[in-house]
Amino acid sequence: MDTDTAYGLRLGAPLNELAQVGQGTPYGEVLRRYWQPIALIGDATTRPMKVKVLGEDLILFRTRKGKPGLLHPRCTHRGASLYYGGVEDDGIRCSYHGWVFDTEGHTTEQPCEPEMGLHRDRMRQPWYPVREQYGLIWAYMGPAEKKPLLPRYDTFENLADDEVLIADDNGVGGGGPALLDFNWLQHWENVMDPFHVPILHARFSGNQFTPEMAIIPEVTFDYTPRGVRSVQFRGLGDGRQLRRVTEVMFPNMRVVASPKLTSGQTNMIGWVVPLDDTSFKIFTIARDSDPEFLKKLRSTHEGKAWKDLTEEEHQRLPGDYEAQKSQGDISLHSEDHLTTTDQGVAMLRRMMAKQIKALEKGENPPGVVFDESEMVVAIEGGNYFEDAVAEPATVGA
Ligand code: FES
Ligand SMILES: [Fe+2]
């Protein structure tokens, strides 16, 4: 008798210790040991803006003198939100009783108190340090004594005269809407899943990238000091091969070169930043001579933008969004059947679990830098066209 029907199916559970991002959650604490991009530089203005990061609601603003600040919304006096505050030269004034906080949460005025508040130094608005770099605002949301340096990346250094840096928070590389409404890990681990490319992005969606990407690659995976790397070999049939290197770097970076196969080291890096357990944004930085480079990279489906697809077209031409969102708001990882081609995903999950343990033992996670001599990170990801050695690496799909 054939008994494997869906009757009595157990639904399973997510790998919460890897997927959840709030304070005190195992991987949420790993994420908090690194600077995270939280907004574009232009988002911080004298009009307070609500931002959500790692499950925390915060208020971003820029003082009239130009300094960005990131404060907890609930005023330390009696809780009115600083979203309704007024930005001044050196801080933000709560609209309820006028207390003023600077960008580090110091209370600088309490106008209704005698002498502007004799004890105001005892009341500090919860705050996070922020920095501006490469067009993005970065926040450090972890324990103060563990705050590392804000790293730089060789990809974005020493620009040529005709090159610019482009920063984007619009989900480049994720497909679908700018605010992705499911758990961030489904997207991050997809970066270590090179086999979905020739299937989802070629056979299903009518070759979204280039003809070479439709070839099923031969792949090796290995650990690097900062994460996991996959190297994908595609024989091109003309004595050359494409060696495409893709990296994930802790805690949530994606180093994926242009699928349109620009040659050499990648010119872009992304950060998969959870807003909470069931939504995330992808911040991307690129260097290029064309300021529209990232916009042009956005994938289309038979020439149509994702947002213009009909329901029938979503079914017929699914992309990353359809695949990853449909795994669930948080995937039930316990029910996955990881096979040979999921080696990269398994390695990434294993390394994440290992870093959680390392943190519990008081160690620093990989790539957290305290020494200026290690501040510039070398990026290996890219598309490298080479003479094929020995046998052509692959069979065409
Ligand atoms: S609640 Fe903010 S000053 Fe009173
Ligand atoms: Fe994809």
Side-chain angles (χ1 to χ4, degrees):
M1 194 173 37
D2 204 352
T3 55
D4 288 342
T5 72
Y7 178 72
L9 179 71
R10 96 191 173 104
L11 290 179
L15 271 172
N16 279 330
E17 74 161 13
L18 306 188
Q20 290 179 342
V21 301
Q23 277 196 40
T25 61
Y27 203 74
E29 290 300 315
V30 176
L31 288 162
R32 279 171 174 75
R33 292 299 184 86
Y34 299 78
W35 289 87
Q36 291 290 333
I38 59 150
L40 304 176
I41 277 184
D43 290 335
T45 69
T46 51
R47 179 179 171 188
M49 176 180 164
K50 292 181 188 176
V51 294
K52 191 163 206 179
V53 199
L54 306 182
E56 299 184 35
D57 288 307
L58 298 162
I59 300 294
L60 176 69
F61 65 98
R62 184 184 298 279
T63 65
R64 294 201 181 275
K65 285 192 184 159
K67 210 169 164 204
L70 185 66
L71 301 180
H72 183 63
R74 190 177 193 282
C75 176
T76 201
H77 178 217
R78 277 176 37 222
S81 173
L82 295 180
Y83 180 63
Y84 300 103
V87 171
E88 305 196 348
D89 278 357
D90 293 302
I92 184 168
R93 184 182 297 275
C94 177
S95 57
Y96 204 4
H97 313 95
W99 290 19
V100 177
F101 307 106
D102 70 9
T103 55
E104 297 187 346
H106 299 106
T107 310
T108 56
E109 284 184 35
Q110 294 172 320
C112 307
E113 293 293 307
E115 295 181 44
M116 284 286 185
L118 287 170
H119 307 294
R120 61 176 187 262
D121 55 336
R122 291 194 206 146
M123 281 154 268
R124 193 158 176 185
Q125 182 66 17
W127 66 290
Y128 286 124
V130 288
R131 296 273 302 278
E132 299 181 271
Q133 182 171 274
Y134 301 140
L136 296 175
I137 296 189
W138 304 77
Y140 175 72
M141 297 170 62
E145 71 284 5
K146 300 281 188 187
K147 187 177 80 174
L149 297 171
L150 176 61
R152 300 186 70 87
Y153 299 91
D154 65 354
T155 310
F156 305 132
E157 301 291 315
N158 306 318
L159 299 189
D161 285 346
D162 66 335
E163 285 180 315
V164 288
L165 285 184
I166 313 152
D168 177 289
D169 65 348
N170 237 348
V172 175
L179 176 63
L180 294 140
D181 54 351
F182 55 93
N183 182 253
W184 73 284
L185 181 57
Q186 277 141 250
H187 182 78
W188 197 44
E189 65 182 19
N190 166 269
V191 176
M192 273 303 110
D193 176 7
F195 293 101
H196 84 280
V197 174
I199 306 300
L200 182 69
H201 297 298
R203 291 192 193 176
F204 264 82
S205 299
N207 219 348
Q208 283 181 321
F209 306 134
T210 61
E212 290 88 346
M213 294 296 272
I215 301 170
I216 295 184
E218 260 186 21
V219 181
T220 59
F221 295 100
D222 43 43
Y223 287 112
T224 68
R226 303 178 59 106
V228 186
R229 166 181 60 192
S230 92
V231 185
Q232 306 129 55
F233 297 94
R234 287 174 167 90
L236 300 177
D238 59 359
R240 291 180 317 146
Q241 68 176 3
L242 165 61
R243 182 169 61 87
R244 182 170 159 84
V245 181
T246 302
E247 302 176 82
V248 286
M249 287 183 164
F250 273 68
N252 59 339
M253 283 172 61
R254 38 168 292 153
V255 182
V256 182
S258 165
K260 297 188 176 164
L261 299 186
T262 326
S263 152
Q265 186 197 33
T266 181
N267 67 335
M268 58 178 178
I269 303 177
W271 282 259
V272 184
V273 180
L275 276 56
D276 55 24
D277 290 343
T278 53
S279 66
F280 65 97
K281 269 190 172 185
I282 303 169
F283 288 92
T284 310
I285 307 168
R287 81 184 276 173
D288 205 78
S289 53
D290 179 0
E292 302 292 299
F293 169 78
L294 284 177
K295 279 199 188 103
K296 291 182 185 162
L297 208 61
R298 200 156 278 288
S299 46
T300 52
H301 309 249
E302 289 185 348
K304 273 176 117 175
W306 180 86
K307 64 175 176 35
D308 298 327
L309 297 183
T310 64
E311 191 60 21
E312 185 274 334
E313 286 167 327
H314 281 296
Q315 284 184 281
R316 192 163 49 77
L317 305 167
D320 284 318
Y321 178 79
E322 286 72 16
Q324 294 163 28
K325 164 75 179 173
S326 66
Q327 288 176 299
D329 289 350
I330 304 184
S331 185
L332 302 174
H333 306 98
S334 67
E335 303 313 289
D336 287 352
H337 293 89
L338 298 188
T339 55
T340 321
T341 50
D342 299 307
Q343 199 188 337
V345 170
M347 287 168 74
L348 178 58
R349 290 184 187 175
R350 229 175 282 138
M351 188 163 175
M352 292 172 80
K354 210 171 132 192
Q355 292 318 319
I356 291 169
K357 294 270 170 314
L359 218 68
E360 286 167 2
K361 281 192 268 168
E363 294 164 20
N364 291 315
V368 163
V369 177
F370 298 93
D371 181 344
E372 282 193 14
S373 68
E374 297 168 11
M375 228 170 103
V376 181
V377 181
I379 296 293
E380 192 197 344
N383 297 308
Y384 304 96
F385 292 88
E386 303 171 334
D387 291 337
V389 270
E391 313 253 279
T394 56
V395 181

